[in-house]
Amino acid sequence: MTQPAGQPYEYRRRTLVEPDWTRFPGWRDVTAEQWQSAQWQRVNCVKNLKQLRAVMGDLLDESFYTDLETDQKRLATMSMLIPPQMLNTMVPDRTPDTEAFYADPIRRYMLPVATDRHLDWPSHPHATRDSLHEHDMWVAEGLTHRYPTKVLAELLSTCPQYCGHCTRMDLVGNSTPTVDKLKLTLKPVDRYDAHLTYLKAHPGVRDVVVSGGDVANVPWKQLEAYLMGLLSVPTVRDIRLATKALMGLPQHWLQPDVVEGLHRVAITAQRRGVNLAVHTHVNHVNSLTPLVAQAAQTLLEVGVRDVRNQGVLMRGVNATTADLLDLCFGLQGEAGILPYYFYMCDMIPNAEHWRVPVWHAQQLQHDMMGYLPGYATPRIVCDVPFVGKRWVHMVSEYDREHGISYWTKNYRTSIEQNDDEALSKLYAYYDPIDTLPQSGQDWWRKQEASAQS
């Protein structure tokens, strides 16, 4: 008798579990009360090799620390900053050893090492520090006007955790040996006032993404005052708070003063008919724990309309159909977070080992369809320089051999108001070179050699 062929993906419910942090030698005596404290989490973040050694004890071989130190000195675009909550989701089901720690998907993007990178092509020739040109589109310090009806408000340049692939590596975090970061120069109150002044003078802007950095690092009274200021502008109809800390430091969003303050903001938004949402950034299902779900549920209970996830596609982390579907079912079914977008990793320096080609993203979008509820099926998008988000199937032309895709757009950015050709030209995006056929790789080597001669 012929056996059923089965489905390419088999759904199995996975209930959320808080990994046992006492499996790490440095946390054997940490109590649940300490673990649930946002202050304890912040104080005990891992910021350097010495602190990582203190947590890991003798679990990792010396070769791992050498690999990590090499990356920090020569390749890393972000400094090290990992809350205990995030470190605890690496190798969550057992005591880590060196092999398992190397292979862990969350480790791969939060704690990159030199041997992760592609030494032949660590960066694409077209990679840039500010790959989306957000700084070029500042209309006030920290306020990017890129889309016609939307602005991005960068309130600060720090986060509770630093991702290795950060698209704002030009501004966010401490400088590294390879990147001297830009600095915000205005006092926060002056920066925030400049944002409100611009919004009042531009009634065509209705949607404000409040980000940074991460809004979890803004003192609550300052953040609440800023949000209330936005709510006083009658033309602002959507406000989205961007915080990876909902996953990386959920303890922050469970603090009584934050919960009470967000309730005040949410009630004011409801009364004024403004949509208030929170966007977080989860890249792997292992990051979802009961504390994350509790924080998301709390946001919804105090009146936030939606909690949504914007992940990033990365090789070695989540760039398979099973990884993405596992994550989306965990987000939607267990944590109460709506899968929203998966971005292709941006063309920043030293990120080629994470990036996927456009064709791979298109295949993933195809293979995800039909499993999730329609409203919870995320769109995979390519954030094309000078264009913005485009669904990966919207490509106009695609040269697979050389890994060059071409895209169009239907609006001008704030720096193209006088550009008559902005809406008729093609804009290029580039696949990682190591994914190209040999002829394409050889072509890029010739281009690189010509550029250097």
Side-chain angles (χ1 to χ4, degrees), residues 126-394:
H126 288 279
T128 58
R129 289 174 45 144
D130 181 15
S131 65
L132 302 180
H133 305 279
E134 290 178 339
H135 181 256
D136 296 336
M137 299 178 196
W138 276 7
V139 290
E141 185 179 82
L143 190 68
T144 297
H145 193 172
R146 187 180 179 199
Y147 298 97
T149 61
K150 299 181 282 187
V151 292
L152 166 71
E154 297 166 312
L155 298 194
L156 77 173
S157 60
T158 65
C159 301
Q161 67 286 304
Y162 291 139
C163 307
H165 64 281
C166 181
T167 192
R168 297 195 186 113
M169 47 74 62
D170 193 41
L171 173 71
V172 171
N174 302 317
S175 294
T176 71
T178 58
V179 182
D180 186 19
K181 306 290 178 100
L182 295 176
K183 303 294 183 184
L184 296 171
T185 58
L186 293 177
K187 294 179 180 179
V189 65
D190 295 331
R191 187 180 316 120
Y192 304 165
D193 285 346
H195 293 186
L196 293 176
T197 298
Y198 183 84
L199 290 170
K200 291 172 182 176
H202 293 80
V205 177
R206 61 174 308 282
D207 183 354
V208 182
V209 177
V210 185
S211 185
D214 190 314
V215 295
N217 269 15
V218 181
W220 179 257
K221 289 183 178 179
Q222 286 185 25
L223 181 57
E224 183 172 349
Y226 184 86
L227 296 175
M228 290 300 194
L230 293 180
L231 289 168
S232 72
V233 181
T235 48
V236 172
R237 311 310 299 153
D238 276 279
I239 298 174
R240 294 178 275 172
L241 306 181
T243 173
K244 187 182 179 74
L246 182 64
M247 173 274 286
L249 190 67
Q251 295 86 348
H252 170 82
W253 293 103
L254 291 168
Q255 295 176 109
D257 62 325
V258 175
V259 173
E260 293 165 7
L262 192 57
H263 180 60
R264 290 190 293 269
V265 174
I267 292 298
T268 303
Q270 289 173 2
R271 287 173 179 167
R272 298 184 182 180
V274 176
N275 299 308
L276 178 67
V278 169
H279 285 191
T280 192
H281 174 189
V282 186
N283 292 322
H284 196 274
V285 67
N286 288 354
S287 294
L288 298 173
T289 75
L291 274 172
V292 177
Q294 182 185 352
Q297 184 60 38
T298 299
L299 296 182
L300 295 170
E301 288 174 354
V302 301
V304 171
R305 174 174 173 169
D306 288 303
V307 180
R308 309 179 186 119
N309 185 63
Q310 298 185 146
V312 177
L313 276 184
M314 288 179 282
R315 285 187 279 177
V317 178
N318 58 15
T320 71
T321 305
D323 284 335
L324 292 180
L325 287 173
D326 285 349
L327 171 54
C328 290
F329 280 118
L331 288 165
Q332 191 266 342
E334 310 300 330
I337 300 171
L338 186 70
Y340 180 41
Y341 279 138
F342 281 101
Y343 287 84
M344 296 178 66
C345 185
D346 291 320
M347 290 195 301
I348 57 170
N350 297 339
E352 289 301 274
H353 66 294
W354 285 309
R355 295 201 309 119
V356 302
V358 169
W359 63 262
H360 187 157
Q362 291 174 334
Q363 188 65 50
L364 288 171
Q365 183 75 80
H366 173 276
D367 293 348
M368 291 178 69
M369 301 302 291
Y371 288 95
L372 293 153
Y375 68 88
T377 301
R379 293 169 178 166
I380 299 179
V381 294
C382 183
D383 209 343
V384 183
F386 294 111
V387 175
K389 293 183 291 293
R390 285 292 180 266
W391 304 347
V392 289
H393 285 84
M394 292 175 67

